[in-house]
Amino acid sequence: MPFFAGDIFVSDVHKKPVLDQVGEEIGKLKDIIVSAGEPFPAVTALVAAAGRKTYILPWDIVNLFNRRVMTVSARAENLGPASVSPNDILIIRDLLDKQIVDINGAKLVRVNDLRLGDVNGRMCLVAADLGLRGILRRLGLEAKGEKLLSLFGYRLPSKFIGWHYLQTVEPKLTKLTLTISRQKVASLHPADLAEIISEVSQRERTAIFGSLDVDTAAEALHELEPSVQADIIDDMSKERASDILERMPPDEAADVLGDLPEAKAQELINLMEKEEAQDVQELLEHEEDTAGGLMTTEYLAFDSGMTVEEAIKELRLEAPDVETIYYLYLVDDEDRLVGVLSLKNLILAKPGARLRDIMKTPVKTLPLEAGQKDVAEFISKYNLLAAPVVDESSVMRGIVTVDDVVDFLLPTASRKKRRKL
């Protein structure tokens, strides 16, 4: 077993001599190969270079490995040149100076140095140095920088993050992306995840997005700028794209599809489940800046003859499939809106009470063609969290929520400009 003591930084050993068992130099350390599929990737071999020759030195023949000396239990003349496999992960070539995702900080960071350490008796990649200290160490100026800052009463800070809190964004390194890392990335807020995806290259975007489960991908996709959405959808299979769109609220899916070429959008709609496709198609038929274009078709509508107890049971069944629930809407047999009930009033009512006896009527509604300004004034005037949208026959068609209003009152760089299909 190789002897190593304490933590070793890659910058400490990079380009240092590697000696054979009698002290002859084999070459300079060029890189370090690590394994995949573990929280802390283990070192499996050293790569030494002498002129144009490259030697792969398996970890099990390494005797000593520290910042002063590296030796192997073999004679230099008995070692033959070898090539690095395309599947090998070389931490200097593949990780140093690269961008990775800091899961705890929900941001992209750059690797300035890498720390190797003991994990259960094996030399492993344990942390990335993201700070100024890492840069100075690689330049051989760490001690001088520390001394200079101390003259002004400052300490040179260390900024390390454990490897298990990081995720690679380079497509080739997906083997280093463990299930636990993917789960942590999935727990990021969709807006944070979208910001990270927006900052990397197209290849890296595709790699990150491809590692997400369908639900997380659906939440993140709507937060991206239209051009980024289009690029990501172009790089995935039509089947996965349609699955993601099906998981999105209809209004958000319509926003995404409205920014795609018409033929592409229609192709994806045709691959979606019939019910979801109909909802999205209906929304795309309305002008974006109208109540019909702003609304979502996901809402809860019950029969006014139900009891409170029956409504609560039904609510528990249907709620997981609805993005936003502020009110219950009461409709007749032809889906005409006859009343509305807040969740608070539903919970406080007696279990045996009929919804028709506790609902509020008449209901203030918006027509499909109402403009953005009218929608905003309507929601503000009546202090609503969501406003029902009806057609000329008072048939319930959808709801516009207060966050939809905020989106167009405070536009962002990712504001969608939906095109009708």
Side-chain angles (χ1 to χ4, degrees), residues 288-306:
E288 181 191 18
D289 56 357
T290 65
L294 293 168
M295 71 182 183
T296 178
T297 54
E298 286 187 345
Y299 59 90
L300 290 181
F302 292 165
D303 187 287
S304 62
M306 295 176 69

Side-chain angles (χ1 to χ4, degrees), residues 12-28:
D12 290 333
V13 294
H14 186 214
K15 297 182 179 180
K16 297 290 179 65
V18 181
L19 309 178
D20 70 2
Q21 62 185 25
V22 297
E24 295 291 330
E25 182 176 318
I26 298 170
K28 300 291 194 299

Side-chain angles (χ1 to χ4, degrees), residues 252-321:
E252 294 184 4
D255 284 338
V256 173
L257 288 165
D259 288 301
L260 297 177
E262 186 172 346
K264 177 77 171 182
Q266 196 61 60
E267 182 181 25
L268 294 177
I269 290 174
N270 293 338
L271 289 172
M272 295 171 64
E273 293 293 333
K274 184 177 180 180
E275 185 175 346
E276 284 81 2
Q278 287 177 341
D279 288 340
V280 172
Q281 189 74 62
E282 178 185 350
L283 292 171
L284 287 169
E285 291 172 357
H286 299 290
E287 293 291 345
E288 181 191 18
D289 56 357
T290 65
L294 293 168
M295 71 182 183
T296 178
T297 54
E298 286 187 345
Y299 59 90
L300 290 181
F302 292 165
D303 187 287
S304 62
M306 295 176 69
T307 65
V308 168
E309 185 176 20
E310 291 170 339
I312 291 177
K313 287 181 179 179
E314 187 69 20
L315 174 62
R316 288 172 178 161
L317 292 174
E318 296 190 25
D321 298 324

Side-chain angles (χ1 to χ4, degrees), residues 45-65:
L46 305 181
V47 181
R52 295 185 177 182
K53 295 181 180 180
T54 299
Y55 300 92
I56 308 300
L57 309 172
W59 186 245
D60 57 9
I61 71 167
V62 176
N63 284 332
L64 295 174
F65 185 84

Side-chain angles (χ1 to χ4, degrees), residues 176-297:
L176 285 182
T177 301
L178 305 171
T179 300
I180 186 171
S181 296
R182 294 183 184 185
Q183 291 171 342
K184 288 176 179 177
V185 169
S187 69
L188 294 176
H189 190 282
D192 291 329
L193 188 53
E195 184 175 349
I196 289 170
I197 292 172
S198 297
E199 291 179 9
V200 299
S201 70
Q202 178 59 28
R203 289 177 68 247
E204 293 167 336
R205 289 171 186 168
T206 302
I208 295 176
F209 212 81
S211 72
L212 303 177
D213 62 79
V214 175
D215 289 325
T216 304
E219 291 178 346
L221 186 61
H222 186 251
E223 300 289 340
L224 295 167
E225 296 183 9
S227 60
V228 178
Q229 290 175 348
D231 287 341
I232 287 176
I233 289 176
D234 280 341
D235 282 343
M236 71 175 71
S237 69
K238 297 188 292 291
E239 291 72 21
R240 176 168 167 81
S242 64
D243 287 344
I244 290 172
L245 290 166
E246 285 175 0
R247 301 294 181 92
M248 299 174 71
D251 56 330
E252 294 184 4
D255 284 338
V256 173
L257 288 165
D259 288 301
L260 297 177
E262 186 172 346
K264 177 77 171 182
Q266 196 61 60
E267 182 181 25
L268 294 177
I269 290 174
N270 293 338
L271 289 172
M272 295 171 64
E273 293 293 333
K274 184 177 180 180
E275 185 175 346
E276 284 81 2
Q278 287 177 341
D279 288 340
V280 172
Q281 189 74 62
E282 178 185 350
L283 292 171
L284 287 169
E285 291 172 357
H286 299 290
E287 293 291 345
E288 181 191 18
D289 56 357
T290 65
L294 293 168
M295 71 182 183
T296 178
T297 54

Side-chain angles (χ1 to χ4, degrees), residues 93-215:
R93 181 193 68 186
D94 297 331
L95 297 175
L96 209 58
D97 294 323
K98 301 299 191 299
Q99 289 184 314
I100 53 180
V101 179
D102 170 8
I103 298 170
N104 281 349
K107 60 184 178 182
L108 276 176
V109 292
R110 186 172 296 278
V111 178
N112 296 327
D113 205 351
L114 293 160
R115 187 168 70 187
L116 303 170
D118 184 355
V119 178
N120 299 323
R122 297 192 301 171
M123 175 65 79
C124 295
L125 173 58
V126 295
D129 189 336
L130 313 176
L132 176 62
R133 184 182 286 271
I135 297 174
L136 294 176
R137 186 186 305 113
R138 288 172 62 185
L139 295 173
L141 299 174
E142 182 181 13
K144 292 181 179 179
E146 202 162 24
K147 184 176 181 180
L148 178 63
L149 287 176
S150 67
L151 297 175
F152 298 94
Y154 293 104
R155 293 185 59 191
L156 185 61
S158 297
K159 189 176 181 182
F160 299 107
I161 296 184
W163 188 256
H164 56 310
Y165 289 117
L166 300 167
Q167 173 161 322
T168 59
V169 296
E170 167 61 39
K172 178 183 181 296
L173 303 181
T174 53
K175 291 179 292 183
L176 285 182
T177 301
L178 305 171
T179 300
I180 186 171
S181 296
R182 294 183 184 185
Q183 291 171 342
K184 288 176 179 177
V185 169
S187 69
L188 294 176
H189 190 282
D192 291 329
L193 188 53
E195 184 175 349
I196 289 170
I197 292 172
S198 297
E199 291 179 9
V200 299
S201 70
Q202 178 59 28
R203 289 177 68 247
E204 293 167 336
R205 289 171 186 168
T206 302
I208 295 176
F209 212 81
S211 72
L212 303 177
D213 62 79
V214 175
D215 289 325

Side-chain angles (χ1 to χ4, degrees), residues 1-4 8-10 12-20 26-35 41-50 53-74 79-85 88-93 116-117 122-125:
M1 179 181 292
F3 177 78
F4 53 90
I8 298 171
F9 292 100
V10 167
D12 290 333
V13 294
H14 186 214
K15 297 182 179 180
K16 297 290 179 65
V18 181
L19 309 178
D20 70 2
I26 298 170
K28 300 291 194 299
L29 183 71
K30 181 179 181 180
D31 221 316
I32 299 171
I33 301 175
V34 296
S35 61
V43 175
T44 60
L46 305 181
V47 181
K53 295 181 180 180
T54 299
Y55 300 92
I56 308 300
L57 309 172
W59 186 245
D60 57 9
I61 71 167
V62 176
N63 284 332
L64 295 174
F65 185 84
N66 58 53
R67 66 190 67 182
R68 294 183 178 85
V69 61
M70 290 172 283
T71 67
V72 299
S73 59
L79 295 171
S83 300
V84 173
S85 166
D88 285 336
I89 299 173
L90 282 69
I91 61 175
I92 295 175
R93 181 193 68 186
L116 303 170
R122 297 192 301 171
M123 175 65 79
C124 295
L125 173 58

